[in-house]
């Protein structure tokens, strides 16, 4: 993962075939609520400490995914292309 900044992905639509390209495996990522209020979308986080929940200082926000679809781990992370 990177060490600062994040991507903003608007109109991410898994039902239309949109897929993420991620490094590693699905176990290294999770979707979560965004830390800032009033920002639409879900956060895609790198699970640096491998516990499946957001831990400030450890886990990194990689992207904000804004979508007309209900985003789940199944249609985003599990469906991603891993390199």
């Amino acid at each position: 993962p990177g060490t600062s900044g994040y991507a903003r992905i608007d109109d991410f639509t898994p039902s239309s075939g949109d897929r993420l390209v991620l490094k590693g495996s699905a176990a290294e990522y999770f979707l979560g609520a965004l830390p800032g209020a009033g920002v639409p979308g879900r956060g895609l986080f790198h699970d640096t400490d491998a516990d499946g929940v957001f831990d400030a200082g450890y886990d990194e926000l990689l992207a904000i995914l804004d979508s007309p679809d209900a985003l789940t781990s199944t249609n985003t992370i599990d469906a991603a292309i891993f390199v």
Side-chain angles (χ1 to χ4, degrees), residues 27-35 43-62:
E28 297 176 48
Y29 301 91
F30 67 92
L31 290 177
L34 296 170
L44 173 67
F45 294 88
H46 182 259
D47 194 9
T48 305
D49 59 355
D51 68 353
V53 296
F54 179 73
D55 295 304
Y58 293 101
D59 299 330
E60 181 180 358
L61 175 63
L62 299 177

Side-chain angles (χ1 to χ4, degrees), residues 51-78:
D51 68 353
V53 296
F54 179 73
D55 295 304
Y58 293 101
D59 299 330
E60 181 180 358
L61 175 63
L62 299 177
I64 296 174
L65 306 175
D66 194 9
S67 178
D69 293 348
L71 298 180
T72 66
S73 291
T74 301
N75 69 9
T76 55
I77 297 170
D78 295 342

Side-chain angles (χ1 to χ4, degrees), residues 12-31:
F12 179 74
T13 312
S15 64
S16 293
D18 290 350
R19 294 174 73 185
L20 299 170
V21 177
L22 302 170
K23 182 178 178 181
S25 70
E28 297 176 48
Y29 301 91
F30 67 92
L31 290 177

